[in-house]
Amino acid sequence: MTLLEFFSSPSSRFHMIPKEFSAEFDSLLHAQEWKKELNVIEMDASRCINKRSLFTEWKTQLEFPFYFSDNWDSLDECINDLSWFPDKKGFLLVIRNSEDLLKEQEEDLSYCNECVA
């Protein structure tokens, strides 16, 4: 199985890489073959500690379209319908420091999980 096949599995679009495998994942991530088939976007969850900062970071890093609004429904729409994405090849979103994601508003984690799962 190739890396692209692993991350393109129809059964799951969201993968968590445990810290103990992060070095191995990083070496695979920076392999040149990825760049041909996927847009690799890396985010730091320590900059997404509440809803406001999460929406700002995702909008900036993913270059969401002008109609993106700072709310969960809009995030869900942009993540699950990529017609706005200029490069039609897929993308891999890598979230570093995931333990910091929404740490100031943990009650919103369930909304975030629904958008990306």
Side-chain angles (χ1 to χ4, degrees):
M1 176 180 280
T2 68
L3 295 174
L4 182 59
E5 288 169 337
F6 173 75
F7 286 110
S8 298
S9 167
S11 62
S12 179
R13 295 179 293 146
F14 186 73
H15 303 277
M16 299 292 283
I17 307 297
K19 285 186 179 190
E20 60 266 22
F21 297 113
S22 64
E24 181 180 356
F25 176 75
D26 285 343
S27 66
L28 294 173
L29 177 65
H30 295 292
Q32 215 37 268
E33 69 185 69
W34 285 90
K35 309 269 190 256
K36 295 176 192 168
E37 301 179 29
L38 294 172
N39 293 292
V40 179
I41 300 162
E42 296 187 58
M43 271 194 242
D44 184 351
S46 66
R47 291 186 291 209
C48 303
I49 57 174
N50 55 45
K51 276 194 308 191
R52 185 178 195 167
S53 61
L54 180 137
F55 293 141
T56 299
E57 185 71 11
W58 286 52
K59 178 168 53 174
T60 302
Q61 294 298 320
L62 291 169
E63 300 178 16
F64 281 161
F66 70 93
Y67 56 81
F68 174 75
S69 300
D70 290 346
N71 63 62
W72 293 116
D73 289 337
S74 190
L75 178 66
D76 180 57
E77 179 183 341
C78 288
I79 291 293
N80 289 299
D81 173 14
L82 299 176
S83 61
W84 56 268
F85 204 69
D87 189 346
K88 295 304 178 192
K89 61 184 179 177
F91 73 87
L92 171 64
L93 175 61
V94 179
I95 302 175
R96 307 270 180 201
N97 303 311
S98 60
E99 65 278 0
D100 292 334
L101 188 65
L102 295 171
K103 71 179 179 184
E104 288 184 356
Q105 288 180 295
E106 290 182 4
E107 68 275 6
D108 283 311
L109 274 174
S110 62
Y111 293 110
C112 186
N113 288 334
E114 288 174 22
C115 292
V116 297

